[in-house]
PDB file of all heavy atoms in Angstrom:
ATOM      1  N   ARG A  21     225.562 186.014 107.843  1.00 91.00           N
ATOM      2  CA  ARG A  21     224.544 185.055 108.283  1.00 91.00           C
ATOM      3  C   ARG A  21     224.349 185.125 109.791  1.00 91.00           C
ATOM      4  O   ARG A  21     225.285 185.373 110.550  1.00 91.00           O
ATOM      5  CB  ARG A  21     224.973 183.644 107.861  1.00 91.00           C
ATOM      6  CG  ARG A  21     223.950 182.555 108.207  1.00 91.00           C
ATOM      7  CD  ARG A  21     224.374 181.238 107.593  1.00 91.00           C
ATOM      8  NE  ARG A  21     224.326 181.318 106.124  1.00 91.00           N
ATOM      9  CZ  ARG A  21     224.967 180.474 105.313  1.00 91.00           C
ATOM     10  NH1 ARG A  21     225.714 179.514 105.821  1.00 91.00           N
ATOM     11  NH2 ARG A  21     224.866 180.620 104.003  1.00 91.00           N
ATOM     12  N   ASP A  22     223.134 184.924 110.244  1.00 92.00           N
ATOM     13  CA  ASP A  22     222.803 184.935 111.665  1.00 92.00           C
ATOM     14  C   ASP A  22     223.661 183.899 112.391  1.00 92.00           C
ATOM     15  O   ASP A  22     223.579 182.705 112.103  1.00 92.00           O
ATOM     16  CB  ASP A  22     221.318 184.604 111.842  1.00 92.00           C
ATOM     17  CG  ASP A  22     220.908 184.568 113.303  1.00 92.00           C
ATOM     18  OD1 ASP A  22     221.731 184.896 114.179  1.00 92.00           O
ATOM     19  OD2 ASP A  22     219.743 184.209 113.567  1.00 92.00           O
ATOM     20  N   PRO A  23     224.514 184.319 113.345  1.00 94.00           N
ATOM     21  CA  PRO A  23     225.353 183.354 114.058  1.00 94.00           C
ATOM     22  C   PRO A  23     224.555 182.309 114.816  1.00 94.00           C
ATOM     23  O   PRO A  23     225.067 181.226 115.123  1.00 94.00           O
ATOM     24  CB  PRO A  23     226.159 184.230 115.019  1.00 94.00           C
ATOM     25  CG  PRO A  23     226.103 185.592 114.439  1.00 94.00           C
ATOM     26  CD  PRO A  23     224.770 185.697 113.754  1.00 94.00           C
ATOM     27  N   GLY A  24     223.283 182.633 115.113  1.00 91.00           N
ATOM     28  CA  GLY A  24     222.454 181.669 115.829  1.00 91.00           C
ATOM     29  C   GLY A  24     221.847 180.600 114.958  1.00 91.00           C
ATOM     30  O   GLY A  24     221.270 179.627 115.468  1.00 91.00           O
ATOM     31  N   SER A  25     221.968 180.722 113.638  1.00 92.00           N
ATOM     32  CA  SER A  25     221.400 179.717 112.746  1.00 92.00           C
ATOM     33  C   SER A  25     222.288 178.475 112.712  1.00 92.00           C
ATOM     34  O   SER A  25     223.506 178.559 112.873  1.00 92.00           O
ATOM     35  CB  SER A  25     221.250 180.282 111.329  1.00 92.00           C
ATOM     36  OG  SER A  25     222.524 180.527 110.758  1.00 92.00           O
ATOM     37  N   SER A  26     221.668 177.337 112.489  1.00 91.00           N
ATOM     38  CA  SER A  26     222.426 176.083 112.464  1.00 91.00           C
ATOM     39  C   SER A  26     223.431 176.059 111.321  1.00 91.00           C
ATOM     40  O   SER A  26     224.494 175.430 111.419  1.00 91.00           O
ATOM     41  CB  SER A  26     221.465 174.895 112.344  1.00 91.00           C
ATOM     42  OG  SER A  26     220.671 175.026 111.165  1.00 91.00           O
ATOM     43  N   SER A  27     223.147 176.760 110.231  1.00 93.00           N
ATOM     44  CA  SER A  27     224.035 176.758 109.073  1.00 93.00           C
ATOM     45  C   SER A  27     225.298 177.592 109.310  1.00 93.00           C
ATOM     46  O   SER A  27     226.251 177.494 108.535  1.00 93.00           O
ATOM     47  CB  SER A  27     223.303 177.284 107.840  1.00 93.00           C
ATOM     48  OG  SER A  27     222.804 178.590 108.078  1.00 93.00           O
ATOM     49  N   PHE A  28     225.326 178.397 110.366  1.00 94.00           N
ATOM     50  CA  PHE A  28     226.517 179.196 110.647  1.00 94.00           C
ATOM     51  C   PHE A  28     227.657 178.326 111.166  1.00 94.00           C
ATOM     52  O   PHE A  28     228.830 178.634 110.944  1.00 94.00           O
ATOM     53  CB  PHE A  28     226.190 180.298 111.651  1.00 94.00           C
ATOM     54  CG  PHE A  28     227.350 181.215 111.940  1.00 94.00           C
ATOM     55  CD1 PHE A  28     227.679 182.234 111.056  1.00 94.00           C
ATOM     56  CD2 PHE A  28     228.118 181.053 113.084  1.00 94.00           C
ATOM     57  CE1 PHE A  28     228.749 183.079 111.311  1.00 94.00           C
ATOM     58  CE2 PHE A  28     229.191 181.888 113.350  1.00 94.00           C
ATOM     59  CZ  PHE A  28     229.510 182.904 112.462  1.00 94.00           C
ATOM     60  N   GLY A  29     227.328 177.274 111.890  1.00 94.00           N
ATOM     61  CA  GLY A  29     228.357 176.329 112.321  1.00 94.00           C
ATOM     62  C   GLY A  29     228.970 176.586 113.679  1.00 94.00           C
ATOM     63  O   GLY A  29     229.994 175.980 114.018  1.00 94.00           O
ATOM     64  N   ALA A  30     228.374 177.478 114.489  1.00 96.00           N
ATOM     65  CA  ALA A  30     228.891 177.718 115.835  1.00 96.00           C
ATOM     66  C   ALA A  30     228.233 176.764 116.834  1.00 96.00           C
ATOM     67  O   ALA A  30     227.191 176.172 116.561  1.00 96.00           O
ATOM     68  CB  ALA A  30     228.625 179.156 116.246  1.00 96.00           C
ATOM     69  N   ARG A  31     228.853 176.632 117.991  1.00 96.00           N
ATOM     70  CA  ARG A  31     228.250 175.846 119.075  1.00 96.00           C
ATOM     71  C   ARG A  31     227.341 176.768 119.894  1.00 96.00           C
ATOM     72  O   ARG A  31     227.678 177.914 120.172  1.00 96.00           O
ATOM     73  CB  ARG A  31     229.330 175.255 119.979  1.00 96.00           C
ATOM     74  CG  ARG A  31     230.223 174.259 119.274  1.00 96.00           C
ATOM     75  CD  ARG A  31     231.314 173.725 120.181  1.00 96.00           C
ATOM     76  NE  ARG A  31     230.801 172.831 121.200  1.00 96.00           N
ATOM     77  CZ  ARG A  31     231.569 172.201 122.096  1.00 96.00           C
ATOM     78  NH1 ARG A  31     232.886 172.390 122.087  1.00 96.00           N
ATOM     79  NH2 ARG A  31     231.046 171.397 122.992  1.00 96.00           N
ATOM     80  N   HIS A  32     226.203 176.250 120.289  1.00 95.00           N
ATOM     81  CA  HIS A  32     225.242 177.040 121.056  1.00 95.00           C
ATOM     82  C   HIS A  32     225.324 176.664 122.527  1.00 95.00           C
ATOM     83  O   HIS A  32     225.540 175.509 122.875  1.00 95.00           O
ATOM     84  CB  HIS A  32     223.820 176.795 120.542  1.00 95.00           C
ATOM     85  CG  HIS A  32     223.581 177.362 119.174  1.00 95.00           C
ATOM     86  ND1 HIS A  32     222.685 178.378 118.935  1.00 95.00           N
ATOM     87  CD2 HIS A  32     224.140 177.082 117.976  1.00 95.00           C
ATOM     88  CE1 HIS A  32     222.696 178.684 117.656  1.00 95.00           C
ATOM     89  NE2 HIS A  32     223.574 177.898 117.045  1.00 95.00           N
ATOM     90  N   PHE A  33     225.137 177.668 123.377  1.00 95.00           N
ATOM     91  CA  PHE A  33     225.052 177.378 124.807  1.00 95.00           C
ATOM     92  C   PHE A  33     223.765 177.983 125.357  1.00 95.00           C
ATOM     93  O   PHE A  33     223.300 179.024 124.873  1.00 95.00           O
ATOM     94  CB  PHE A  33     226.278 177.888 125.568  1.00 95.00           C
ATOM     95  CG  PHE A  33     226.450 179.387 125.590  1.00 95.00           C
ATOM     96  CD1 PHE A  33     225.964 180.156 126.643  1.00 95.00           C
ATOM     97  CD2 PHE A  33     227.128 180.039 124.561  1.00 95.00           C
ATOM     98  CE1 PHE A  33     226.133 181.533 126.666  1.00 95.00           C
ATOM     99  CE2 PHE A  33     227.305 181.410 124.583  1.00 95.00           C
ATOM    100  CZ  PHE A  33     226.811 182.161 125.637  1.00 95.00           C
ATOM    101  N   PRO A  34     223.149 177.344 126.349  1.00 90.00           N
ATOM    102  CA  PRO A  34     221.847 177.786 126.856  1.00 90.00           C
ATOM    103  C   PRO A  34     221.952 179.124 127.591  1.00 90.00           C
ATOM    104  O   PRO A  34     222.887 179.356 128.362  1.00 90.00           O
ATOM    105  CB  PRO A  34     221.434 176.668 127.828  1.00 90.00           C
ATOM    106  CG  PRO A  34     222.315 175.512 127.484  1.00 90.00           C
ATOM    107  CD  PRO A  34     223.583 176.081 126.976  1.00 90.00           C
ATOM    108  N   VAL A  35     221.000 180.004 127.352  1.00 92.00           N
ATOM    109  CA  VAL A  35     220.950 181.279 128.067  1.00 92.00           C
ATOM    110  C   VAL A  35     219.574 181.561 128.655  1.00 92.00           C
ATOM    111  O   VAL A  35     219.418 182.474 129.459  1.00 92.00           O
ATOM    112  CB  VAL A  35     221.360 182.454 127.154  1.00 92.00           C
ATOM    113  CG1 VAL A  35     222.778 182.291 126.651  1.00 92.00           C
ATOM    114  CG2 VAL A  35     220.402 182.606 125.988  1.00 92.00           C
ATOM    115  N   GLY A  36     218.558 180.828 128.246  1.00 78.00           N
ATOM    116  CA  GLY A  36     217.222 181.058 128.783  1.00 78.00           C
ATOM    117  C   GLY A  36     216.480 182.143 128.035  1.00 78.00           C
ATOM    118  O   GLY A  36     216.862 182.566 126.942  1.00 78.00           O
ATOM    119  N   ARG A  37     215.410 182.614 128.640  1.00 75.00           N
ATOM    120  CA  ARG A  37     214.566 183.636 128.019  1.00 75.00           C
ATOM    121  C   ARG A  37     214.202 184.676 129.070  1.00 75.00           C
ATOM    122  O   ARG A  37     213.769 184.348 130.171  1.00 75.00           O
ATOM    123  CB  ARG A  37     213.294 183.008 127.442  1.00 75.00           C
ATOM    124  CG  ARG A  37     212.307 184.035 126.877  1.00 75.00           C
ATOM    125  CD  ARG A  37     211.039 183.389 126.368  1.00 75.00           C
ATOM    126  NE  ARG A  37     211.276 182.641 125.143  1.00 75.00           N
ATOM    127  CZ  ARG A  37     210.332 181.919 124.535  1.00 75.00           C
ATOM    128  NH1 ARG A  37     209.123 181.834 125.065  1.00 75.00           N
ATOM    129  NH2 ARG A  37     210.609 181.278 123.416  1.00 75.00           N
ATOM    130  N   SER A  38     214.356 185.943 128.697  1.00 72.00           N
ATOM    131  CA  SER A  38     214.010 187.056 129.582  1.00 72.00           C
ATOM    132  C   SER A  38     212.862 187.845 128.969  1.00 72.00           C
ATOM    133  O   SER A  38     212.469 187.614 127.817  1.00 72.00           O
ATOM    134  CB  SER A  38     215.221 187.983 129.777  1.00 72.00           C
ATOM    135  OG  SER A  38     216.332 187.264 130.277  1.00 72.00           O
ATOM    136  N   LEU A  39     212.349 188.787 129.742  1.00 60.00           N
ATOM    137  CA  LEU A  39     211.339 189.678 129.193  1.00 60.00           C
ATOM    138  C   LEU A  39     211.937 190.457 128.029  1.00 60.00           C
ATOM    139  O   LEU A  39     213.125 190.777 128.013  1.00 60.00           O
ATOM    140  CB  LEU A  39     210.847 190.642 130.268  1.00 60.00           C
ATOM    141  CG  LEU A  39     210.103 190.011 131.450  1.00 60.00           C
ATOM    142  CD1 LEU A  39     209.771 191.067 132.482  1.00 60.00           C
ATOM    143  CD2 LEU A  39     208.846 189.306 130.981  1.00 60.00           C
ATOM    144  N   LEU A  40     211.099 190.777 127.059  1.00 68.00           N
ATOM    145  CA  LEU A  40     211.562 191.413 125.833  1.00 68.00           C
ATOM    146  C   LEU A  40     212.413 192.643 126.109  1.00 68.00           C
ATOM    147  O   LEU A  40     213.471 192.836 125.499  1.00 68.00           O
ATOM    148  CB  LEU A  40     210.353 191.783 124.964  1.00 68.00           C
ATOM    149  CG  LEU A  40     210.669 192.431 123.607  1.00 68.00           C
ATOM    150  CD1 LEU A  40     211.394 191.450 122.709  1.00 68.00           C
ATOM    151  CD2 LEU A  40     209.373 192.907 122.934  1.00 68.00           C
ATOM    152  N   GLN A  41     211.989 193.480 127.041  1.00 67.00           N
ATOM    153  CA  GLN A  41     212.694 194.729 127.285  1.00 67.00           C
ATOM    154  C   GLN A  41     214.034 194.514 127.981  1.00 67.00           C
ATOM    155  O   GLN A  41     214.880 195.421 128.000  1.00 67.00           O
ATOM    156  CB  GLN A  41     211.836 195.699 128.105  1.00 67.00           C
ATOM    157  CG  GLN A  41     211.505 195.238 129.523  1.00 67.00           C
ATOM    158  CD  GLN A  41     210.195 194.473 129.580  1.00 67.00           C
ATOM    159  OE1 GLN A  41     209.818 193.820 128.606  1.00 67.00           O
ATOM    160  NE2 GLN A  41     209.497 194.576 130.699  1.00 67.00           N
ATOM    161  N   ASN A  42     214.249 193.337 128.568  1.00 75.00           N
ATOM    162  CA  ASN A  42     215.498 193.057 129.286  1.00 75.00           C
ATOM    163  C   ASN A  42     216.423 192.105 128.546  1.00 75.00           C
ATOM    164  O   ASN A  42     217.592 191.950 128.923  1.00 75.00           O
ATOM    165  CB  ASN A  42     215.187 192.449 130.665  1.00 75.00           C
ATOM    166  CG  ASN A  42     214.336 193.363 131.519  1.00 75.00           C
ATOM    167  OD1 ASN A  42     214.451 194.585 131.430  1.00 75.00           O
ATOM    168  ND2 ASN A  42     213.478 192.782 132.339  1.00 75.00           N
ATOM    169  N   ALA A  43     215.906 191.450 127.513  1.00 79.00           N
ATOM    170  CA  ALA A  43     216.604 190.306 126.934  1.00 79.00           C
ATOM    171  C   ALA A  43     218.001 190.642 126.433  1.00 79.00           C
ATOM    172  O   ALA A  43     218.953 189.882 126.648  1.00 79.00           O
ATOM    173  CB  ALA A  43     215.764 189.708 125.805  1.00 79.00           C
ATOM    174  N   HIS A  44     218.148 191.788 125.764  1.00 86.00           N
ATOM    175  CA  HIS A  44     219.437 192.073 125.123  1.00 86.00           C
ATOM    176  C   HIS A  44     220.557 192.327 126.124  1.00 86.00           C
ATOM    177  O   HIS A  44     221.729 192.154 125.796  1.00 86.00           O
ATOM    178  CB  HIS A  44     219.290 193.278 124.186  1.00 86.00           C
ATOM    179  CG  HIS A  44     220.482 193.495 123.314  1.00 86.00           C
ATOM    180  ND1 HIS A  44     220.980 192.518 122.479  1.00 86.00           N
ATOM    181  CD2 HIS A  44     221.292 194.581 123.142  1.00 86.00           C
ATOM    182  CE1 HIS A  44     222.041 192.985 121.833  1.00 86.00           C
ATOM    183  NE2 HIS A  44     222.246 194.225 122.222  1.00 86.00           N
ATOM    184  N   SER A  45     220.216 192.707 127.349  1.00 85.00           N
ATOM    185  CA  SER A  45     221.238 192.986 128.369  1.00 85.00           C
ATOM    186  C   SER A  45     221.232 191.958 129.494  1.00 85.00           C
ATOM    187  O   SER A  45     221.850 192.182 130.536  1.00 85.00           O
ATOM    188  CB  SER A  45     221.025 194.391 128.948  1.00 85.00           C
ATOM    189  OG  SER A  45     219.734 194.500 129.520  1.00 85.00           O
TER     190      SER A  45
END
């Protein structure tokens, strides 16, 4: 299951949003 989904049960922390080509790094 996607760890980012609410049903996964992890705590989320803010990271913001980057341009698509840069987001993963």
Side-chain angles (χ1 to χ4, degrees):
R21 183 173 294 161
D22 179 5
S25 67
S26 58
S27 58
F28 183 80
R31 296 178 71 178
H32 291 245
F33 65 94
V35 299
R37 175 182 289 176
S38 303
L39 295 176
L40 182 65
Q41 65 268 30
N42 301 327
H44 190 56
S45 59

